[in-house]
Amino acid sequence: MNFIKRIILLLYLVTVINRTTAQESLNRQEHDMQPFYFGISVGYNSSTLLTTRHPAFLQQNDIDRIEPHSSNGIELGFSGTARLSNRFDLRFAPKLVLGGSKYLSYYFTDEYLQANPGKQPVENIKLPANLLSFPLDLKLKSDRMRNFRVYMFGGLRYDRNLSANASEYTAAKQLGQNPPPLFRSYNWAYEGGIGFNIYMPFSVISPEIKIGRSIGNNQVRDAENPYSAVLDKIRTQSIVFTINIEQ
């Protein structure tokens, strides 16, 4: 529901800006003919974990269920766009994603709680995920309507997880602890969305919304860790609202 509200708000803002510039002269006419141009971006990221239970989940009596939760964060980056034709652009937009701490809630069974009276019925396991993200997108552009244009885009993304630390995980296991599930240091994802070019006198402002989902398994499963053993796959899904400012 929040995603729909963001789209409605974005469309409303774009409509207002387009109306206010409808009577003005064309801005940044040379922008559309540049073979290559740069920009910077800032975004709001809302991401959640998608989990798949492992068959080992049915073979244990300690954990009743597992619920993933979402987190919010920001994205900061820059972009380089190559003009392929009047309709298509190729964009490379590396960025730093400060995604906060996602977490999983583990609900324990009544039998386990009776056997361990000091245990809380619910335990939240934090999974920090700060990323370096490298998306490569193909953009499909509409005709320019004075100082306004619509575009769609989609592509692949390579993510480098800065929070994945296998050495800390191994050290915790050697101390007899059960640390949070270990995330892989890298992963691939696909993404797609819609955006709007608003041509201002000195720059092009491009608000956009995109959805992305990781392709592989983010988790390095550990059969000896009860938090990890019950999960087969952990993937990430994100919804991002971004403002791009191009030269």
Side-chain angles (χ1 to χ4, degrees):
M1 194 65 181
N2 290 332
F3 176 59
I4 296 177
K5 290 181 180 179
R6 291 185 188 125
I7 292 180
I8 294 175
L9 177 60
L10 177 62
L11 292 175
Y12 173 76
L13 292 175
V14 169
T15 302
V16 171
I17 295 174
N18 191 41
R19 286 178 178 176
T20 59
T21 60
Q23 302 303 320
E24 298 179 359
S25 59
L26 293 179
N27 297 323
R28 304 290 294 169
Q29 296 186 55
E30 75 285 357
H31 178 274
D32 297 334
M33 302 307 298
Q34 293 183 79
F36 199 86
Y37 56 88
F38 297 94
I40 60 174
S41 66
V42 58
Y44 171 82
N45 184 307
S46 177
S47 59
T48 188
L49 299 174
L50 305 175
T51 60
T52 303
R53 294 186 302 185
H54 192 271
F57 180 86
L58 301 177
Q59 301 171 4
Q60 55 84 40
N61 298 314
D62 295 341
I63 300 172
D64 181 57
R65 70 181 190 275
I66 306 167
E67 291 184 359
H69 299 274
S70 61
S71 64
N72 302 320
I74 60 172
E75 297 186 355
L76 302 172
F78 66 92
S79 62
T81 303
R83 180 179 181 271
L84 302 180
S85 68
N86 291 334
R87 291 293 185 195
F88 291 99
D89 287 343
L90 187 65
R91 180 177 66 183
F92 178 60
K95 60 192 65 180
L96 173 64
V97 182
L98 303 174
S101 295
K102 305 174 183 64
Y103 66 97
L104 297 170
S105 293
Y106 289 78
Y107 291 79
F108 297 101
T109 62
D110 293 336
E111 293 81 359
Y112 179 80
L113 294 174
Q114 291 174 3
N116 300 270
K119 191 74 173 180
Q120 296 294 324
V122 181
E123 185 172 356
N124 295 322
I125 302 296
K126 291 185 178 180
L127 300 168
N130 297 319
L131 308 174
L132 279 176
S133 185
F134 302 92
L136 182 65
D137 295 320
L138 183 67
K139 294 173 57 179
L140 172 61
K141 306 177 294 183
S142 72
D143 291 331
R144 177 168 173 171
M145 295 164 279
R146 299 193 63 82
N147 291 322
F148 178 78
R149 186 199 297 275
V150 181
Y151 62 87
M152 300 175 64
F153 63 94
L156 290 176
R157 189 180 76 227
Y158 173 80
D159 292 334
R160 189 74 181 181
N161 192 342
L162 303 178
S163 303
N165 195 324
S167 60
E168 290 184 1
Y169 184 90
T170 302
K173 289 296 296 293
Q174 291 175 347
L175 294 174
Q177 302 173 357
N178 291 318
L182 176 64
F183 269 30
R184 298 185 185 277
S185 59
Y186 68 92
N187 212 327
W188 292 90
Y190 59 88
E191 63 179 24
I194 185 173
F196 310 91
N197 293 137
I198 303 171
Y199 294 81
M200 309 299 287
F202 301 103
S203 63
V204 179
I205 299 177
S206 304
E208 65 182 36
I209 287 180
K210 67 178 180 181
I211 299 176
R213 178 177 291 189
S214 60
I215 298 174
N217 187 0
N218 289 37
Q219 178 192 213
V220 180
R221 184 175 177 272
D222 183 357
E224 298 180 355
N225 184 344
Y227 297 120
S228 176
V230 294
L231 294 172
D232 183 30
K233 292 182 179 180
I234 300 178
R235 294 188 297 167
T236 303
Q237 178 175 282
S238 60
I239 300 175
V240 184
F241 174 73
T242 305
I243 298 292
N244 300 301
I245 302 176
E246 301 164 350
Q247 65 178 15

